[in-house]
Amino acid sequence: MPKWSMALLLALRRGASLTPVIRRRCGRALASLPKDDAGWMTELSPNQFAVLRQKATEPPGYSEGTEGELEHDLKRDYGTKYPDVGVYECAGCREPLYFARTKFNSGCGWPAFYDGIPGAIREVPDADGMRVEIVCAKCDGHLGHVFKNEGFPTPTDERHCVNGISLRYEPAGYQPDDTPKLPAALVPKPIPP
């Protein structure tokens, strides 16, 4: 068993929170993050910069239909857009944001999650009061918007509608065993080879 796994198990037995342990293992140190737009432009692709730093929105289906993007590559590499292990991280700072089992098929055209990792996502009401923006709590990167009480049969009845370009999948990321699995209707079966 890797040393960090043993440390994690011991910390959990003592009642420690998962969030700091996850962050130490996956996220970048705050000091290493770019301080301005010029710095972010060297770290991100032009499309990532537009979404994460300038709050643009990718077109619906972009992540699934574009080679090299999150959902397209998940389907190619894992046979599904809904792997049940690992975490989704911020593409800007690699902060773990969502456990894999919280992703579901909302039919909206963007990756959807029913909840974020505690403390990893900040909600910011839009200036017009119509929607609530979600940003990475570590680097303030724009992720998308959260919608509540839409009637989805998930543990929270929330839909974090996230730009796929804002995320990266880390299959080795830690996910607690008690993260609920969703009804089969919300997590389609793997694509046959």
Side-chain angles (χ1 to χ4, degrees):
M1 176 180 296
K3 288 181 190 177
W4 67 268
S5 295
M6 184 56 75
L8 177 62
L9 290 172
L10 293 172
L12 290 173
R13 284 188 185 142
R14 291 191 307 268
S17 167
L18 287 176
T19 305
V21 175
I22 293 168
R23 286 186 179 145
R24 278 198 303 274
R25 291 292 162 204
C26 301
R28 288 172 52 180
L30 278 174
S32 71
L33 294 177
K35 306 288 186 233
D36 56 20
D37 283 351
W40 281 110
M41 285 182 191
T42 66
E43 296 281 324
L44 303 171
S45 73
N47 287 339
Q48 287 175 318
F49 181 81
V51 172
L52 284 163
R53 307 315 305 169
Q54 298 178 319
K55 302 178 190 249
T57 300
E58 68 189 15
Y62 178 80
S63 181
E64 183 175 1
T66 307
E67 189 171 340
E69 296 301 332
L70 176 73
E71 292 193 320
H72 178 278
D73 291 357
L74 284 172
K75 285 171 46 178
R76 180 193 66 215
D77 298 342
Y78 300 96
T80 180
K81 297 187 307 183
Y82 307 96
D84 65 355
V85 299
V87 297
Y88 292 88
E89 301 175 339
C90 174
C93 69
R94 298 204 169 180
E95 181 73 356
L97 301 173
Y98 297 100
F99 295 125
R101 282 194 294 261
T102 65
K103 187 174 187 219
F104 71 100
N105 181 13
S106 70
C108 70
W110 290 273
F113 301 84
Y114 69 78
D115 202 5
I117 293 174
I121 297 165
R122 212 166 28 85
E123 295 183 9
V124 181
D126 279 352
D128 63 7
M130 299 296 290
R131 301 183 299 177
V132 177
E133 177 189 16
I134 47 177
V135 299
C136 173
K138 184 173 184 180
C139 72
D140 289 327
H142 173 74
L143 303 172
H145 291 83
V146 62
F147 302 94
K148 301 179 182 189
N149 303 315
E150 293 181 312
F152 285 106
T154 64
T156 62
D157 193 14
E158 290 186 6
R159 174 173 57 98
H160 290 225
C161 185
V162 182
N163 291 285
I165 205 162
S166 298
L167 301 172
R168 65 183 295 280
Y169 176 63
E170 176 49 62
Y174 176 76
Q175 175 175 229
D177 290 336
D178 63 351
T179 302
K181 288 189 177 189
L182 294 172
L186 290 178
V187 182
K189 293 180 177 158
I191 301 163

